[in-house]
Coordinates of all heavy atoms in Angstrom, one line a residue:
D27 N 111.4 75.7 127.8 CA 112.2 76.8 128.2 C 111.5 77.7 129.2 O 112.1 78.3 130.1 CB 112.6 77.6 126.9 CG 113.6 76.9 126.1 OD1 114.2 75.9 126.6 OD2 113.9 77.4 125.0
K72 N 84.9 100.6 128.8 CA 84.8 99.9 130.0 C 83.4 100.1 130.6 O 82.7 99.1 131.1 CB 85.8 100.3 131.0 CG 87.3 100.2 130.5 CD 88.2 100.8 131.5 CE 89.6 101.0 130.9 NZ 90.5 101.7 131.8
K167 N 105.2 77.5 108.5 CA 105.8 76.1 108.5 C 105.7 75.5 109.9 O 105.3 74.4 110.0 CB 107.2 76.2 108.0 CG 107.9 74.8 108.0 CD 109.3 75.0 107.5 CE 110.0 73.6 107.5 NZ 111.5 73.7 107.1
S199 N 107.8 94.6 88.9 CA 107.9 93.4 88.2 C 107.8 92.2 89.1 O 107.1 91.2 88.8 CB 109.3 93.3 87.5 OG 109.5 94.3 86.6
S274 N 91.6 96.9 102.6 CA 91.1 96.7 101.2 C 90.9 98.0 100.5 O 91.1 98.1 99.3 CB 89.7 96.0 101.3 OG 89.8 94.8 102.0
A287 N 88.3 91.5 113.6 CA 88.4 91.1 115.0 C 89.3 92.2 115.7 O 89.2 93.4 115.3 CB 89.1 89.7 115.2
S313 N 67.6 80.8 99.2 CA 66.8 79.6 99.3 C 66.8 79.1 100.7 O 67.6 79.6 101.5 CB 67.4 78.5 98.4 OG 68.7 78.3 98.7
V346 N 90.7 107.6 112.7 CA 91.3 107.1 111.5 C 91.8 108.2 110.6 O 93.0 108.1 110.1 CB 90.2 106.3 110.7 CG1 90.8 105.8 109.4 CG2 89.7 105.1 111.5
A350 N 95.9 109.0 109.9 CA 96.4 109.0 108.5 C 97.0 110.3 108.2 O 98.1 110.3 107.5 CB 95.2 108.7 107.6
L353 N 99.7 111.2 112.3 CA 100.6 110.2 113.0 C 101.4 109.4 112.0 O 102.6 109.2 112.1 CB 99.7 109.3 113.9 CG 100.5 108.2 114.6 CD1 101.5 108.8 115.5 CD2 99.6 107.2 115.3
E383 N 114.0 95.5 108.8 CA 114.7 94.2 108.5 C 116.1 94.3 108.8 O 116.8 95.3 108.4 CB 114.5 93.9 107.0 CG 114.8 92.5 106.6 CD 113.6 91.5 106.9 OE1 112.5 92.0 106.8 OE2 113.9 90.3 107.2
R391 N 122.8 90.9 102.0 CA 121.6 90.7 102.9 C 121.9 89.5 103.8 O 120.9 88.8 104.2 CB 120.3 90.5 102.0 CG 120.0 91.7 101.2 CD 118.7 91.5 100.4 NE 118.4 92.7 99.6 CZ 117.4 92.8 98.8 NH1 116.6 91.8 98.6 NH2 117.2 93.9 98.1
A399 N 118.5 84.9 115.5 CA 119.0 85.3 116.9 C 119.3 86.8 117.0 O 119.2 87.3 118.1 CB 120.2 84.4 117.2
D420 N 113.8 87.9 110.8 CA 114.9 88.9 111.1 C 114.4 90.3 111.1 O 115.2 91.2 110.9 CB 116.0 88.7 110.1 CG 116.7 87.4 110.3 OD1 117.6 87.3 111.2 OD2 116.4 86.4 109.6

Side-chain angles (χ1 to χ4, degrees):
D27 284 353
K72 302 170 192 175
K167 181 179 178 183
S199 299
S274 304
S313 59
V346 176
L353 179 63
E383 197 81 30
R391 300 182 182 175
D420 288 282

